Amino acid sequence: MIGDEVNMNDKIKSQLRKYLQNYDYENFVLGDSRLNASVYKKFLFPYNALDHARNLLADTIKNYSIYFVLSCGRKEIKSYEVHNEYVDIKYCDIDNGEIKKLSFNFMEEISLNYFLLKSLQPFFEYKICKSGSSFKVYISTEQMEKLKAIKPDSYYNLPEECKKTHLFFEEFDIYHMIWENAQDEEPEEYDLLYIGKSNAQESDFDILKRLNSHKTIQKITRENNLYYRSKELMIMIFSFKSKLFRPYNLDCYLAHIMLGNSGWEKAKLLTNIKENQEMILFIEAMLINHFKPKYNQQYVDKLSIKSKIYQQFNRQNVNPIVIELDLCMDKGKIHLKSKETRTETKMRNIKCCKIDDKIVIDYDDMSDFIYDFL
C-alpha cells in the first residue's frame, strides 16, 4: 500500500511538472502581461430545444457570449421502464443503428423537496415525446384532481406552473441522460461546424436570439435536414471569465513574479478593452483560427499582427493570450473534431503568442488525470 501511495505521488508530480512546463512560454518577455480566459459556465443542448433551453437558463442567458454549432449522431428513445426513482431507457443511435441502454435517476434532477416528490410519485405519468428525443414526467388533469382530493398538502406545494397546465411537470432530453451516465461510456465525438458570438452586454439581444435568427445557422440546419438526417445539431454555449497577469520585479531577490487580477477591467489596467466586447471578439477569432470549422472558412487565417483587434492588445504588451477551454460535461466529456484538429481531454489550452512579429496559435492538452486532481 505504501508503495502504491509513493507511485501515485510520483505520478502526480511528474504530470504536474510536465503540464506546468507546457504552460510556461519560452517566448514570454519580462514586461509583457499575460491574459487568461477560462470557461466560467457552459451549456450543451439540441438546437431543436432552443425554446426549452431559454426556460432552463432564464436570467442567466446574458452571461453567455460564445457558441459552437456541433453535429453528432441523433439519438431516439425507443422504450422505457420505471423502477421507483429510476427510469431504464432503451435508445437507438440513428447514425449507426446501435441500440443502447441507460438507467437514469430522474428524481435527483427535479428541483423539489425529496419528500414532496415521493408523495407525488404515485400520480406521475410518463411519456416519450413524438420525436423520441426526450422523456416527460407529468401529472395529467385526471391525476391532478385525484391529488387535490387525496393529498391536498402536496397539491398546495406544487409549482404554480404545474397547477395551471395540469400537464407538463418535467422533461429530460436523451443527451442529458447520456451525459449523466458518461463515466462508463466512450466520450461522444462532435463535429464542430461553426463558432460564433453574441454581445452579452446588449440587453435586448441575447445569445439565444442570435442562434434563432443567424443566417449561417439556418443554412447549416437546411443542409443537415437535406443531407444528414441521421445527425443531430447541438449547441454549446460558453461564458468566459478572464484574468490579467502582470510581472513585478523583486529587486532585493533579483527575481520577478506574476500576479493575477480578475478585476482588470474595473481597475482600468488595459485601455479600450472590455471583457464582454474586445475580449470576446478576440476569443472568437482565436477559436476560429485554431479549429477552422467548416462554416467559418472566410474568417480563417485572417488574424495577424496587423489585425485591428490584435493591435489593441499588442500596444499594451499583452502576450500571450490563453483560452482554457473546458470540455467536461456532467460526469464525462465530449470530443470536438474539425478538419484541422481533434480534442481528446477535458481541457485544452489554446495560446496566442507573438513570435518574431508573427501571431502563432498553439495549444496543449491538460491530461484528464491532472484535470481531476486539480
Side-chain angles (χ1 to χ4, degrees), residues 23-179:
Y23 210 64
D24 199 10
Y25 296 90
E26 295 177 0
N27 299 288
F28 177 78
V29 178
L30 182 59
D32 284 353
S33 298
R34 169 189 178 129
L35 198 52
N36 278 36
S38 58
V39 174
Y40 177 59
K41 291 181 179 179
K42 55 187 176 297
F43 189 65
L44 180 60
F45 59 94
Y47 182 62
N48 288 333
L50 201 63
D51 293 332
H52 185 55
R54 177 176 295 282
N55 294 333
L56 290 176
L57 293 170
D59 294 337
T60 65
I61 292 171
K62 62 181 182 293
N63 297 326
Y64 295 91
S65 51
I66 294 288
Y67 61 85
F68 290 176
V69 180
L70 310 169
S71 173
C72 68
R74 186 161 61 86
K75 312 298 187 294
E76 190 174 291
I77 301 172
K78 292 299 184 182
S79 62
Y80 68 89
E81 291 183 6
V82 178
H83 305 284
N84 296 320
E85 300 175 9
Y86 285 85
V87 55
D88 293 334
I89 296 285
K90 185 181 289 186
Y91 68 95
C92 178
D93 188 326
I94 304 300
D95 200 29
N96 56 29
E98 187 177 356
I99 300 294
K100 296 183 178 181
K101 298 178 181 179
L102 62 82
S103 185
F104 181 73
N105 187 336
F106 65 89
M107 298 281 275
E108 284 185 351
E109 300 294 319
I110 300 175
S111 55
L112 285 178
N113 179 279
Y114 176 78
F115 296 103
L116 173 60
L117 281 175
K118 291 298 288 184
S119 70
L120 293 172
Q121 194 170 5
F123 302 90
F124 286 169
E125 294 186 18
Y126 309 90
K127 182 180 180 181
I128 300 171
C129 73
K130 288 183 179 180
S131 68
S133 62
S134 62
F135 176 83
K136 291 185 178 182
V137 181
Y138 68 103
I139 300 178
S140 67
T141 303
E142 182 182 353
Q143 290 294 86
M144 191 72 77
E145 292 303 319
K146 287 183 181 179
L147 174 66
K148 190 175 182 179
I150 298 171
K151 294 186 176 182
D153 289 343
S154 296
Y155 175 82
Y156 176 80
N157 287 298
L158 268 178
E160 288 302 318
E161 187 64 26
C162 189
K163 291 179 186 177
K164 289 178 184 177
T165 62
H166 280 222
L167 293 171
F168 179 71
F169 189 68
E170 193 63 78
E171 181 176 356
F172 309 101
D173 70 76
I174 180 61
Y175 303 97
H176 176 70
M177 290 188 278
I178 291 171
W179 299 327

Side-chain angles (χ1 to χ4, degrees), residues 322-373:
V322 182
I323 299 173
E324 298 172 353
L325 188 62
D326 189 333
L327 298 172
C328 181
M329 294 298 302
D330 293 328
K331 298 177 182 178
K333 62 182 175 183
I334 66 171
H335 287 168
L336 298 181
K337 184 184 72 172
S338 66
K339 189 175 180 180
E340 184 71 13
T341 186
R342 181 180 186 272
T343 67
E344 295 186 353
T345 64
K346 296 176 182 177
M347 174 79 80
R348 169 164 289 189
N349 296 307
I350 304 169
K351 319 162 197 176
C352 177
C353 302
K354 184 179 75 171
I355 304 174
D356 298 330
D357 288 330
K358 291 183 180 180
I359 287 182
V360 175
I361 296 179
D362 199 0
Y363 75 93
D364 64 72
D365 290 328
M366 179 189 291
S367 72
D368 290 345
F369 178 82
I370 292 297
Y371 181 96
D372 296 335
F373 174 74

